[in-house]
Amino acid sequence: MHSPTSLRHVLILGCGRSGTSIFGELFEHLPYYTYHSEPFVDQVPHLDFQTPQAIKVPRTHATYPASPGLSFPIEALDALVPPPQQLYWQVRHPLDAICSLRVGIAQKWGHHPKPPDWQAWLARPLLERCAYHWHYINSEGYARVADRAKIMRFEAMIADPLAFASEVCRDVGLRADAHLEALEAWAQRVQNTNNHRFVEAQTSRPYSRNDHHVKVGRWQENLTAEEIAQVRPLVEATAHRLGYVI
């Protein structure tokens, strides 16, 4: 039998528009957990770690100079989020992520953490900026936590959200079968189409575009062959390392 003090604190990382928001909101459905969506890094040490905390992609703060690709210094991770901890790296097919990143990147590179040379890319086409952002986060950022973070795939979450949520419960020390009603409430929100059951994550809503029918494979609706050829060189090697084929 678990107790609240035995549950792992959770840190969800990854590139924007890869499902980190809806993944994070799973912890609003789970008992014992307090969920924090994108708090500033300097706020994290002041959370009540006497109880289980779940944190999604904290925001950079000058108090904690960030490691490349992350929003915090990797050497300060255990001080920020004390053990026991569970790190997740949420990833999505680059072409789908690029389609979804367009709104935020077009708004003065509204996704974080920004590449250090992001301003040098502002004159480049929007799709190239989105591709570069995906590559930067999933190469520089992931490399710094690869030895301790578990990869979670957007596609697996969409294909079977209840199995995805049950796996997370096992990771953090909760019995999934004891909390099926809560897991099912979250799982019903996670849909591949914008049907009546779909409930988008709160923080994702300003970045949505009503230009596709499905979330997995939306690139087939949004990108031309010429556009795919345009972004392929920017993402292909990183995609391959993460198990994706373009």
Side-chain angles (χ1 to χ4, degrees), residues 34-104:
T34 303
Y35 174 58
H36 308 271
S37 177
E38 302 185 16
F40 283 98
V41 172
D42 66 323
Q43 298 171 344
V44 173
H46 303 291
L47 302 181
D48 180 15
F49 286 104
Q50 297 302 308
T51 60
Q53 305 292 308
I55 304 155
K56 186 206 86 171
V57 192
R59 291 182 176 271
T60 303
H61 191 273
T63 306
Y64 292 91
S67 299
L70 299 176
S71 53
F72 56 88
I74 186 60
E75 58 273 7
L77 176 58
D78 289 335
L80 289 167
V81 182
Q85 61 183 219
Q86 175 67 56
L87 267 66
Y88 291 109
W89 189 269
Q90 179 79 357
V91 67
R92 184 182 185 184
H93 191 290
L95 297 184
D96 285 341
I98 287 167
C99 295
S100 197
L101 282 164
R102 288 173 294 173
V103 173

Coordinates of all heavy atoms in Angstrom, one line a residue, residues 34-104:
T34 N -0.3 17.7 -6.2 CA -0.5 19.1 -6.5 C 0.2 19.4 -7.8 O 1.4 19.1 -7.9 CB 0.0 20.1 -5.4 OG1 -0.6 19.8 -4.2 CG2 -0.3 21.5 -5.8
Y35 N -0.5 19.9 -8.8 CA 0.0 20.1 -10.1 C 0.4 21.6 -10.3 O -0.4 22.5 -10.0 CB -1.0 19.6 -11.2 CG -0.5 19.9 -12.6 CD1 0.7 19.5 -13.1 CD2 -1.3 20.7 -13.4 CE1 1.1 19.8 -14.4 CE2 -0.9 21.0 -14.7 CZ 0.3 20.5 -15.2 OH 0.7 20.8 -16.5
H36 N 1.5 21.9 -11.0 CA 2.0 23.2 -11.3 C 2.4 23.3 -12.8 O 3.3 22.6 -13.2 CB 3.2 23.6 -10.4 CG 3.0 23.3 -9.0 ND1 2.5 24.3 -8.1 CD2 3.2 22.2 -8.2 CE1 2.4 23.8 -6.9 NE2 2.9 22.6 -6.9
S37 N 1.7 24.1 -13.5 CA 1.9 24.2 -14.9 C 2.8 25.4 -15.2 O 2.4 26.6 -14.9 CB 0.6 24.4 -15.7 OG 0.9 24.6 -17.1
E38 N 4.1 25.2 -15.6 CA 5.0 26.2 -16.0 C 5.3 27.3 -14.9 O 5.2 28.5 -15.2 CB 4.6 26.8 -17.3 CG 4.5 25.8 -18.4 CD 4.2 26.4 -19.8 OE1 4.4 27.6 -19.9 OE2 3.7 25.7 -20.7
P39 N 5.5 26.9 -13.7 CA 5.9 27.9 -12.7 C 7.3 28.4 -13.0 O 8.1 27.7 -13.7 CB 6.0 27.1 -11.4 CG 6.3 25.7 -11.8 CD 5.7 25.5 -13.2
F40 N 7.7 29.6 -12.6 CA 9.0 30.1 -12.7 C 10.0 29.2 -11.9 O 9.6 28.8 -10.8 CB 9.1 31.5 -12.4 CG 8.6 32.4 -13.5 CD1 7.4 33.0 -13.4 CD2 9.4 32.7 -14.6 CE1 6.9 33.8 -14.4 CE2 9.0 33.5 -15.6 CZ 7.7 34.1 -15.5
V41 N 11.2 29.0 -12.4 CA 12.1 28.1 -11.7 C 12.3 28.5 -10.2 O 12.5 27.7 -9.3 CB 13.4 28.0 -12.5 CG1 14.4 27.2 -11.7 CG2 13.2 27.3 -13.8
D42 N 12.4 29.8 -10.0 CA 12.7 30.2 -8.6 C 11.6 30.0 -7.6 O 11.8 30.0 -6.4 CB 13.1 31.7 -8.6 CG 11.9 32.6 -9.0 OD1 11.1 32.2 -9.9 OD2 11.7 33.7 -8.4
Q43 N 10.4 29.6 -8.2 CA 9.3 29.3 -7.3 C 9.3 27.8 -6.9 O 8.7 27.4 -5.8 CB 7.9 29.5 -8.0 CG 7.7 31.0 -8.3 CD 6.5 31.2 -9.2 OE1 6.0 30.3 -9.8 NE2 6.1 32.4 -9.3
V44 N 10.0 27.0 -7.7 CA 9.9 25.5 -7.5 C 10.5 25.1 -6.1 O 9.9 24.3 -5.4 CB 10.7 24.8 -8.6 CG1 10.8 23.3 -8.3 CG2 9.9 25.0 -9.9
P45 N 11.6 25.6 -5.6 CA 12.2 25.2 -4.3 C 11.2 25.5 -3.2 O 11.4 24.9 -2.1 CB 13.5 26.0 -4.2 CG 13.9 26.4 -5.6 CD 12.6 26.6 -6.3
H46 N 10.3 26.4 -3.4 CA 9.4 26.8 -2.3 C 8.1 25.9 -2.3 O 7.2 26.2 -1.4 CB 9.0 28.2 -2.4 CG 10.3 29.1 -2.4 ND1 11.1 29.3 -1.2 CD2 10.9 29.8 -3.3 CE1 12.1 30.1 -1.5 NE2 12.0 30.4 -2.8
L47 N 8.0 25.0 -3.2 CA 6.8 24.1 -3.2 C 6.8 23.2 -1.9 O 7.9 22.9 -1.4 CB 6.7 23.3 -4.5 CG 6.7 24.1 -5.8 CD1 6.6 23.1 -7.0 CD2 5.5 25.1 -5.8
D48 N 5.7 22.7 -1.6 CA 5.6 21.8 -0.4 C 5.9 20.4 -0.8 O 5.0 19.6 -1.1 CB 4.2 21.9 0.2 CG 4.0 21.0 1.4 OD1 5.0 20.5 2.0 OD2 2.9 20.7 1.8
F49 N 7.2 20.1 -0.8 CA 7.6 18.7 -1.2 C 7.4 17.7 -0.1 O 7.8 16.5 -0.2 CB 9.1 18.8 -1.6 CG 9.3 19.4 -3.0 CD1 9.8 20.7 -3.1 CD2 8.9 18.7 -4.1 CE1 9.9 21.3 -4.3 CE2 9.1 19.3 -5.4 CZ 9.6 20.6 -5.5
Q50 N 6.7 18.1 1.0 CA 6.3 17.1 2.0 C 5.1 16.3 1.4 O 4.8 15.2 1.9 CB 5.9 17.8 3.3 CG 7.0 18.5 4.0 CD 8.1 17.6 4.3 OE1 8.0 16.5 4.9 NE2 9.4 18.0 3.9
T51 N 4.5 16.8 0.4 CA 3.4 16.1 -0.3 C 3.8 16.0 -1.8 O 4.7 16.8 -2.3 CB 2.1 16.9 -0.2 OG1 2.2 18.2 -0.8 CG2 1.7 17.0 1.2
P52 N 3.3 15.1 -2.6 CA 3.7 14.9 -4.0 C 3.4 16.1 -4.8 O 2.3 16.6 -4.8 CB 2.9 13.6 -4.4 CG 2.5 12.9 -3.1 CD 2.3 14.0 -2.1
Q53 N 4.4 16.5 -5.6 CA 4.3 17.6 -6.5 C 4.5 17.2 -7.9 O 5.4 16.3 -8.2 CB 5.3 18.7 -6.1 CG 5.2 19.2 -4.7 CD 3.9 19.9 -4.4 OE1 3.6 20.9 -5.1 NE2 3.2 19.5 -3.3
A54 N 3.8 17.7 -8.9 CA 4.0 17.5 -10.3 C 4.1 18.8 -11.0 O 3.3 19.7 -10.8 CB 2.8 16.7 -10.9
I55 N 5.2 18.9 -11.8 CA 5.6 20.2 -12.3 C 5.8 20.0 -13.8 O 6.5 19.1 -14.3 CB 6.9 20.7 -11.7 CG1 6.8 20.8 -10.2 CG2 7.3 22.1 -12.3 CD1 8.1 20.7 -9.5
K56 N 5.2 20.9 -14.6 CA 5.3 20.8 -16.1 C 6.2 22.0 -16.5 O 5.9 23.1 -16.3 CB 4.0 20.9 -16.8 CG 4.1 20.7 -18.3 CD 3.0 21.3 -19.0 CE 3.3 22.8 -19.3 NZ 2.3 23.4 -20.2
V57 N 7.3 21.7 -17.2 CA 8.2 22.6 -17.9 C 8.3 24.0 -17.2 O 7.6 24.9 -17.6 CB 7.7 22.8 -19.4 CG1 8.8 23.6 -20.2 CG2 7.4 21.5 -20.1
P58 N 9.0 24.0 -16.1 CA 9.2 25.3 -15.5 C 9.8 26.4 -16.4 O 10.5 26.1 -17.3 CB 10.1 25.0 -14.3 CG 10.8 23.7 -14.7 CD 9.9 23.0 -15.5
R59 N 9.5 27.6 -16.0 CA 10.0 28.7 -16.8 C 11.3 29.3 -16.3 O 11.6 29.3 -15.1 CB 9.0 29.9 -16.8 CG 7.7 29.6 -17.6 CD 6.8 30.7 -17.6 NE 5.6 30.4 -18.4 CZ 5.5 30.7 -19.7 NH1 6.6 31.2 -20.4 NH2 4.4 30.4 -20.4
T60 N 12.2 29.7 -17.2 CA 13.5 30.2 -16.9 C 13.4 31.4 -16.0 O 12.5 32.2 -16.1 CB 14.3 30.5 -18.2 OG1 14.3 29.4 -19.0 CG2 15.7 31.0 -17.8
H61 N 14.3 31.5 -15.0 CA 14.5 32.6 -14.2 C 15.9 32.9 -14.0 O 16.8 32.0 -13.9 CB 13.8 32.4 -12.8 CG 13.6 33.7 -12.0 ND1 14.7 34.1 -11.1 CD2 12.7 34.6 -11.9 CE1 14.3 35.2 -10.6 NE2 13.1 35.5 -11.0
A62 N 16.3 34.2 -13.9 CA 17.7 34.6 -13.8 C 18.4 34.0 -12.6 O 19.6 33.9 -12.6 CB 17.8 36.1 -13.8
T63 N 17.7 33.7 -11.5 CA 18.3 33.1 -10.3 C 18.9 31.8 -10.7 O 19.9 31.4 -10.0 CB 17.2 32.9 -9.3 OG1 16.5 34.1 -9.0 CG2 17.8 32.4 -8.0
Y64 N 18.4 31.0 -11.7 CA 18.9 29.7 -12.0 C 19.3 29.7 -13.5 O 18.5 29.4 -14.4 CB 17.9 28.7 -11.8 CG 17.6 28.4 -10.3 CD1 16.6 29.1 -9.7 CD2 18.3 27.5 -9.5 CE1 16.3 28.9 -8.3 CE2 18.0 27.3 -8.2 CZ 17.0 28.0 -7.6 OH 16.7 27.8 -6.3
P65 N 20.5 30.1 -13.9 CA 20.9 30.2 -15.3 C 20.8 28.8 -15.9 O 21.3 27.8 -15.4 CB 22.4 30.6 -15.2 CG 22.5 31.3 -13.9 CD 21.6 30.6 -13.0
A66 N 20.0 28.7 -17.0 CA 19.6 27.5 -17.6 C 20.7 26.8 -18.4 O 21.6 27.4 -19.0 CB 18.4 27.7 -18.5
S67 N 20.6 25.4 -18.3 CA 21.5 24.6 -19.2 C 20.9 24.7 -20.6 O 19.6 24.8 -20.8 CB 21.5 23.2 -18.7 OG 22.1 23.1 -17.5
P68 N 21.7 24.5 -21.7 CA 21.1 24.5 -23.0 C 20.0 23.6 -23.2 O 20.1 22.4 -22.9 CB 22.3 24.2 -23.9 CG 23.5 24.7 -23.1 CD 23.1 24.4 -21.7
G69 N 18.9 24.0 -23.8 CA 17.7 23.2 -24.1 C 16.8 23.0 -22.9 O 15.7 22.4 -23.1
L70 N 17.2 23.4 -21.7 CA 16.4 23.3 -20.5 C 16.1 24.7 -20.0 O 16.7 25.7 -20.4 CB 17.1 22.4 -19.5 CG 17.4 21.0 -19.8 CD1 18.2 20.4 -18.7 CD2 16.2 20.2 -20.1
S71 N 15.2 24.7 -19.0 CA 14.8 26.0 -18.4 C 15.5 26.2 -17.0 O 15.1 27.1 -16.3 CB 13.3 26.1 -18.3 OG 12.8 25.0 -17.6
F72 N 16.3 25.3 -16.7 CA 17.0 25.3 -15.4 C 18.4 24.7 -15.5 O 18.7 24.0 -16.5 CB 16.2 24.5 -14.3 CG 15.9 23.1 -14.8 CD1 16.8 22.0 -14.4 CD2 14.8 22.7 -15.5 CE1 16.6 20.7 -14.9 CE2 14.6 21.4 -15.9 CZ 15.5 20.4 -15.6
P73 N 19.3 24.9 -14.6 CA 20.6 24.3 -14.6 C 20.5 22.8 -14.2 O 20.0 22.5 -13.1 CB 21.4 25.1 -13.6 CG 20.4 25.7 -12.7 CD 19.2 25.9 -13.4
I74 N 21.0 21.9 -15.1 CA 20.8 20.5 -14.8 C 21.5 20.1 -13.5 O 21.0 19.2 -12.8 CB 21.3 19.6 -16.0 CG1 21.0 18.1 -15.8 CG2 22.8 19.9 -16.2 CD1 19.6 17.8 -15.6
E75 N 22.6 20.7 -13.1 CA 23.3 20.4 -11.9 C 22.5 20.8 -10.7 O 22.8 20.3 -9.6 CB 24.7 21.0 -11.9 CG 24.7 22.5 -12.0 CD 24.7 23.0 -13.4 OE1 24.5 22.2 -14.4 OE2 24.8 24.2 -13.6
A76 N 21.4 21.6 -10.8 CA 20.6 22.0 -9.7 C 19.3 21.2 -9.6 O 18.5 21.5 -8.7 CB 20.3 23.5 -9.8
L77 N 19.2 20.2 -10.5 CA 17.9 19.5 -10.5 C 17.5 18.9 -9.2 O 16.3 19.1 -8.8 CB 18.0 18.4 -11.6 CG 16.7 17.5 -11.7 CD1 15.5 18.3 -12.0 CD2 17.0 16.4 -12.8
D78 N 18.4 18.2 -8.5 CA 18.0 17.5 -7.3 C 17.7 18.5 -6.2 O 16.9 18.2 -5.2 CB 19.0 16.6 -6.8 CG 19.1 15.3 -7.7 OD1 18.1 15.0 -8.4 OD2 20.2 14.7 -7.8
A79 N 18.3 19.7 -6.3 CA 17.9 20.7 -5.3 C 16.6 21.4 -5.6 O 15.8 21.7 -4.7 CB 19.0 21.8 -5.3
L80 N 16.2 21.4 -6.9 CA 14.9 22.0 -7.2 C 13.8 21.0 -7.0 O 12.8 21.4 -6.4 CB 15.0 22.3 -8.7 CG 15.8 23.5 -9.1 CD1 16.0 23.6 -10.6 CD2 15.2 24.8 -8.6
V81 N 14.0 19.7 -7.4 CA 13.0 18.7 -7.2 C 13.6 17.5 -6.4 O 14.3 16.7 -7.0 CB 12.4 18.2 -8.5 CG1 11.3 17.2 -8.3 CG2 11.9 19.4 -9.4
P82 N 13.4 17.5 -5.1 CA 14.2 16.5 -4.3 C 13.7 15.1 -4.6 O 12.5 14.9 -5.1 CB 13.8 16.9 -2.9 CG 12.5 17.6 -3.0 CD 12.6 18.3 -4.3
P83 N 14.5 14.1 -4.4 CA 14.1 12.7 -4.5 C 13.0 12.4 -3.4 O 13.0 13.0 -2.4 CB 15.4 11.9 -4.3 CG 16.5 12.9 -4.5 CD 15.9 14.2 -4.1
P84 N 12.2 11.3 -3.7 CA 12.1 10.5 -4.9 C 11.5 11.3 -6.1 O 10.5 12.0 -5.8 CB 11.3 9.3 -4.5 CG 10.4 9.9 -3.4 CD 11.2 10.9 -2.7
Q85 N 12.0 11.2 -7.2 CA 11.5 11.9 -8.4 C 11.3 11.1 -9.6 O 12.0 10.0 -9.7 CB 12.4 13.1 -8.7 CG 13.8 12.7 -9.1 CD 14.8 13.8 -9.4 OE1 15.6 13.7 -10.3 NE2 14.8 14.9 -8.6
Q86 N 10.4 11.5 -10.4 CA 10.2 10.8 -11.7 C 10.3 11.9 -12.8 O 9.4 12.8 -12.8 CB 8.9 10.1 -11.7 CG 8.5 9.4 -13.1 CD 9.5 8.3 -13.5 OE1 9.6 7.3 -12.7 NE2 10.1 8.4 -14.6
L87 N 11.2 11.7 -13.7 CA 11.3 12.7 -14.8 C 10.8 12.0 -16.1 O 11.0 10.9 -16.4 CB 12.8 13.0 -15.1 CG 13.4 14.3 -14.4 CD1 13.4 14.1 -12.9 CD2 14.7 14.7 -15.0
Y88 N 10.0 12.8 -16.8 CA 9.4 12.4 -18.1 C 9.9 13.4 -19.2 O 10.0 14.6 -19.0 CB 7.9 12.4 -18.1 CG 7.3 11.3 -17.2 CD1 6.7 11.7 -16.0 CD2 7.4 10.0 -17.6 CE1 6.1 10.7 -15.2 CE2 6.8 9.0 -16.7 CZ 6.2 9.4 -15.6 OH 5.6 8.4 -14.8
W89 N 10.2 12.8 -20.3 CA 10.4 13.6 -21.5 C 9.4 13.3 -22.5 O 9.3 12.2 -23.1 CB 11.8 13.3 -22.1 CG 12.2 14.3 -23.2 CD1 11.9 14.2 -24.5 CD2 12.8 15.6 -23.0 NE1 12.3 15.3 -25.2 CE2 12.9 16.2 -24.3 CE3 13.3 16.3 -21.9 CZ2 13.5 17.5 -24.4 CZ3 13.8 17.5 -22.1 CH2 13.9 18.1 -23.3
Q90 N 8.5 14.2 -22.7 CA 7.4 14.1 -23.7 C 7.8 14.5 -25.1 O 8.4 15.5 -25.3 CB 6.2 14.9 -23.2 CG 4.9 14.8 -24.1 CD 4.1 13.6 -23.9 OE1 4.5 12.7 -23.1 NE2 3.0 13.5 -24.6
V91 N 7.5 13.6 -26.0 CA 8.0 13.8 -27.4 C 6.9 13.5 -28.4 O 6.0 12.7 -28.1 CB 9.3 13.0 -27.7 CG1 8.9 11.5 -27.8 CG2 9.9 13.4 -29.0
R92 N 6.9 14.2 -29.5 CA 5.9 14.1 -30.6 C 6.6 14.1 -31.9 O 7.7 14.7 -32.1 CB 4.9 15.3 -30.5 CG 3.8 15.2 -31.5 CD 2.9 16.4 -31.3 NE 1.7 16.4 -32.1 CZ 0.8 17.3 -32.2 NH1 1.0 18.5 -31.5 NH2 -0.3 17.2 -32.9
H93 N 6.1 13.4 -32.9 CA 6.6 13.4 -34.2 C 6.9 14.8 -34.7 O 6.1 15.7 -34.6 CB 5.6 12.7 -35.2 CG 6.2 12.4 -36.6 ND1 6.5 13.4 -37.5 CD2 6.5 11.3 -37.2 CE1 7.0 12.9 -38.6 NE2 7.0 11.6 -38.4
P94 N 8.1 15.1 -35.2 CA 8.5 16.4 -35.5 C 7.6 17.2 -36.5 O 7.3 18.4 -36.3 CB 9.9 16.3 -36.1 CG 10.1 14.9 -36.5 CD 9.2 14.1 -35.5
L95 N 7.1 16.5 -37.5 CA 6.2 17.1 -38.5 C 4.9 17.6 -37.8 O 4.4 18.7 -38.1 CB 6.0 16.2 -39.7 CG 7.2 15.9 -40.5 CD1 6.8 15.1 -41.8 CD2 8.0 17.1 -40.9
D96 N 4.3 16.7 -37.0 CA 3.1 17.1 -36.3 C 3.4 18.3 -35.3 O 2.6 19.2 -35.2 CB 2.5 16.0 -35.5 CG 1.8 14.9 -36.4 OD1 1.5 15.3 -37.6 OD2 1.6 13.8 -36.0
A97 N 4.5 18.2 -34.6 CA 4.9 19.2 -33.6 C 5.1 20.6 -34.4 O 4.7 21.6 -33.9 CB 6.1 18.8 -32.8
I98 N 5.8 20.5 -35.5 CA 6.0 21.7 -36.3 C 4.7 22.4 -36.7 O 4.6 23.6 -36.5 CB 6.9 21.4 -37.5 CG1 8.3 21.1 -37.1 CG2 6.8 22.5 -38.5 CD1 9.1 20.4 -38.2
C99 N 3.8 21.6 -37.1 CA 2.5 22.2 -37.5 C 1.8 22.9 -36.3 O 1.3 24.0 -36.4 CB 1.5 21.1 -38.0 SG 2.0 20.3 -39.5
S100 N 2.0 22.3 -35.1 CA 1.3 22.8 -33.9 C 2.1 24.0 -33.3 O 1.5 24.8 -32.6 CB 1.2 21.7 -32.9 OG 0.2 22.0 -31.9
L101 N 3.4 24.1 -33.6 CA 4.2 25.2 -33.0 C 4.0 26.5 -33.7 O 4.4 27.5 -33.2 CB 5.7 24.8 -33.1 CG 6.2 23.8 -32.0 CD1 7.6 23.2 -32.5 CD2 6.4 24.4 -30.7
R102 N 3.4 26.5 -34.8 CA 3.4 27.7 -35.7 C 2.8 28.9 -35.0 O 3.4 30.0 -35.1 CB 2.6 27.4 -37.0 CG 3.3 26.5 -37.9 CD 2.4 26.2 -39.1 NE 1.3 25.4 -38.7 CZ 0.3 25.0 -39.5 NH1 0.3 25.4 -40.8 NH2 -0.7 24.3 -39.1
V103 N 1.7 28.8 -34.2 CA 1.1 29.9 -33.6 C 2.0 30.6 -32.6 O 2.3 31.8 -32.6 CB -0.2 29.5 -32.9 CG1 -0.8 30.7 -32.1 CG2 -1.3 29.0 -33.9
G104 N 2.6 29.7 -31.7 CA 3.5 30.3 -30.7 C 4.8 30.9 -31.2 O 5.2 31.9 -30.8

